[in-house]
Amino acid sequence: MIKKFIRKILGVKDQQDATDPSEPTILGPEEHGIDPKNVSSNAIRVTQTLQEAGFKAFVVGGAVRDLLLGVKPKDFDIATDATPEQVKKLFRRAFIIGRRFQIVHVMFGQDLLEVTTFRGNGSDNAPKDEHGRVLRDNNFGPQHEDAARRDFTINAMYYDPATQSVLDYHGGMEDIRAKLLRIIGMPEARYREDPVRMLRVVRFAAKLGFTIEPTTRAPIPVMAPLIDNVPAARVFDEMLKLLLSGHALACLKELRSAGLHHGLLPLLDVVLEQPIGMKFVTLALESTDNRVKAGKGVSPGFLFASLLWHQVLEKWTAYRAAGESPIPALHLAADAVLETQTENLALQRRIATDMRDIWAMQPRFERRAGRAPYKLLEHPRFRAGYDFLLLRCASGELPAEIGEWWTEFYAAEGGERERLVAVANTREREGGASGGAPKKRRPRRGPRKNTGEGGEGGAPAPAAAGDE
């Protein structure tokens, strides 16, 4: 009685007041409207194989949510009452992975499907850290308990391709129609079990255009510091999903609104308070969103290079003001930023290398005399560096003329390139715009030497907007 009263005061849905939580609402094709053509043939194959072996098997989670929204899912997850070992025996290319949650990866060519066994309500006895985060939990159970273990109502529905029916245990269909994100259970307890859920609710709200239910949102600002206890690699994976969702700009705005950005990308506060910095980040994220929506690839290195650029720029200016030459100053600035952010964000070495290459190319775009432009064209990551340059010009950090010159030079051939170099030489002699951060230049005689990074060799990849 007291528990029910508390739940009523907090505004938490009490599923037991209306229905038995162990019995789902079953929706037929005419009620849910899922188009079977949008269901992966490999997902059908996995569920069918498991069902023919005597097990229950359903498409579950985000795939069902997307199908209900009329969107063709990119990934399909399967939930079953078969154990990981039983699943593995049924498929030729199947691998058991995971420590915290044991799952099975089933491969069909390049297509990967995750198969999980129904989870039971054993989290009370699962190993936890001092903040309540579940460290390991492979307790299996019935399907209704698996539904209760899932994070949000819209992700807790099960679709059976064989019968084309949807099983809904927590009113997920109702919340989809209302465009509402609601966590299952008590929000504080669920966020404590897995703080990454706070990032997920922000990503889903921005991606789907849904409203976060007030009780689900309320604890987030207070509980946000718990994300610091999550392994950095896992936070990075979630941040990458957020930034590559096709709604990165909306996600970051929602992160700030929910108070979640402080430990993740605290520099955004500084950047977004500066007109040029704000415009630069906004343009970079809009470009990323457009490429994702168009089905084009995006380089994570380009994306993080964009987000961290103004931190590099600030340190670069400081080192130069202290007397360092431009190129060494830039390398020192890049080292300082990457050292800090690699620890905070668990940046992979490959991504950090891409970021460093993009930053190191920037001074070289301002040298358009002699053979320097031709050598820069040969850089294997020229296109990413060029796209980055265009962002700097579009944001007002550099004169537009530099970006326009490189666009013409990149598209031109033979004699036209020679003419463009000659024009650039004339402008430089006459004191034309060179752009960039404030520079202390020494008088030079004769052709200017290329003091930038090496790495030449190989034609630039035919890509755009940071796609390499």
Side-chain angles (χ1 to χ4, degrees):
M1 190 72 176
I2 294 175
K3 183 177 179 181
K4 185 181 292 187
F5 175 74
I6 292 173
R7 290 174 66 83
K8 185 176 181 181
I9 292 295
L10 291 174
V12 179
K13 255 189 174 181
D14 193 340
Q15 303 289 345
Q16 291 181 333
D17 289 347
T19 59
D20 180 352
S22 66
E23 293 297 327
T25 299
I26 300 177
L27 307 170
E30 66 286 349
E31 295 172 281
H32 58 66
I34 289 177
D35 184 351
K37 294 178 183 177
N38 287 335
V39 183
S40 157
S41 59
N42 287 329
I44 295 173
R45 182 176 171 183
V46 171
T47 55
Q48 184 177 354
T49 300
L50 286 163
Q51 289 170 355
E52 288 176 351
F55 300 108
K56 294 180 180 179
F58 302 84
V59 176
V60 70
V64 181
R65 177 198 69 226
D66 289 347
L67 288 167
L68 290 169
L69 291 169
V71 178
K72 189 170 184 178
K74 291 183 179 179
D75 303 302
F76 285 83
D77 295 338
I78 311 297
T80 178
D81 59 352
T83 65
E85 290 77 12
Q86 290 170 327
V87 173
K88 187 176 185 300
K89 289 178 182 178
L90 293 174
F91 300 96
R92 185 173 61 86
R93 296 185 64 202
F95 312 92
I96 298 175
I97 67 165
R99 294 178 59 188
R100 183 170 179 263
F101 293 123
Q102 204 172 55
I103 62 178
V104 181
H105 279 176
V106 179
M107 304 287 297
F108 296 97
Q110 297 299 313
D111 192 12
L112 182 151
L113 287 87
E114 286 192 356
V115 182
T116 59
T117 304
F118 295 148
R119 307 287 170 181
N121 287 330
S123 58
D124 289 343
N125 301 320
K128 301 177 182 177
D129 66 14
E130 66 271 24
H131 303 284
R133 181 172 65 90
V134 176
L135 300 175
R136 190 166 54 257
D137 185 9
N138 287 305
N139 187 65
F140 305 137
Q143 187 174 7
H144 71 274
E145 290 187 4
D146 183 76
R149 291 284 305 276
R150 295 186 179 272
D151 49 12
F152 308 108
T153 59
I154 64 171
N155 291 339
M157 290 178 281
Y158 303 76
Y159 175 70
D160 183 354
T163 62
Q164 294 185 33
S165 59
V166 171
L167 278 61
D168 182 1
Y169 286 90
H170 295 280
M173 192 68 192
E174 180 183 339
D175 285 342
I176 278 184
R177 287 170 178 156
K179 295 189 173 181
L180 196 66
L181 267 170
R182 184 191 308 273
I183 203 164
I184 297 172
M186 298 297 290
E188 294 88 346
R190 301 311 304 278
Y191 294 145
R192 210 171 280 281
E193 288 172 0
D194 186 3
V196 169
R197 286 176 178 142
M198 290 184 279
L199 297 179
R200 285 168 60 80
V201 72
V202 165
R203 173 160 60 91
F204 291 141
K207 178 180 178 180
L208 303 174
F210 280 26
T211 300
I212 302 174
E213 186 265 334
T215 307
T216 300
R217 175 185 278 274
I220 292 177
V222 177
M223 304 188 75
L226 292 178
I227 293 176
D228 293 339
N229 304 314
V230 178
R234 188 157 177 255
V235 174
F236 176 78
D237 287 342
E238 190 60 36
M239 282 296 296
L240 206 53
K241 290 178 184 177
L242 185 149
L243 293 169
L244 299 180
S245 66
H247 303 269
L249 190 57
C251 283
L252 288 181
K253 288 179 179 178
E254 188 66 39
L255 274 177
R256 297 187 80 208
S257 173
L260 282 169
H261 61 292
H262 294 297
L264 300 170
L265 290 171
L267 62 131
L268 281 181
D269 268 344
V270 178
V271 169
L272 297 179
E273 289 170 1
Q274 303 170 7
I276 293 179
M278 181 177 180
K279 190 171 183 181
F280 181 88
V281 170
T282 300
L283 287 169
L285 294 178
E286 285 177 347
S287 173
T288 298
D289 288 345
N290 291 336
R291 288 186 63 79
V292 172
K293 290 171 184 175
K296 298 178 180 179
V298 177
S299 162
F302 183 91
L303 186 54
F304 279 99
S306 301
L307 291 176
L308 296 172
W309 169 242
H310 276 75
Q311 197 172 20
V312 173
L313 191 59
E314 181 181 347
K315 291 183 180 295
W316 185 21
T317 303
Y319 280 124
R320 297 178 72 177
E324 284 286 351
S325 298
I327 301 301
L330 178 57
H331 286 293
L332 287 171
D335 289 343
V337 170
L338 287 174
E339 184 177 350
T340 300
Q341 296 301 331
T342 298
E343 182 178 348
N344 291 344
L345 293 173
L347 290 171
Q348 300 169 6
R349 182 177 298 178
R350 175 181 56 82
I351 293 176
T353 299
D354 289 348
M355 294 164 65
R356 190 188 299 277
D357 286 347
I358 290 169
W359 293 335
M361 272 189 280
Q362 297 313 302
R364 299 177 63 183
F365 283 106
E366 297 174 48
R367 295 195 298 274
R368 292 173 282 169
R371 299 300 302 169
Y374 297 94
K375 294 187 70 175
L376 187 53
L377 276 181
E378 297 174 357
H379 195 292
R381 289 187 175 85
F382 167 81
R383 189 57 198 249
Y386 163 74
D387 289 335
F388 197 86
L389 170 74
L390 295 185
L391 284 178
R392 296 175 67 201
C393 294
S395 70
E397 182 190 325
L398 289 178
E401 180 270 329
I402 295 181
E404 292 166 359
W405 186 92
W406 275 100
T407 298
E408 290 184 52
F409 186 77
Y410 181 55
E413 295 181 358
E416 178 61 16
R417 283 184 175 174
E418 292 178 5
R419 186 190 69 79
L420 287 167
V421 170
V423 170
N425 289 342
T426 300
R427 285 183 180 175
E428 188 164 316
R429 283 195 300 270
E430 294 174 353
S434 60
K439 300 186 177 184
K440 296 180 181 178
R441 297 184 181 272
R442 296 179 181 177
R444 294 176 181 264
R445 293 182 180 178
R448 302 177 64 189
K449 296 180 180 179
N450 179 4
T451 56
E453 269 197 4
E456 289 80 14
D467 184 23
E468 298 183 47

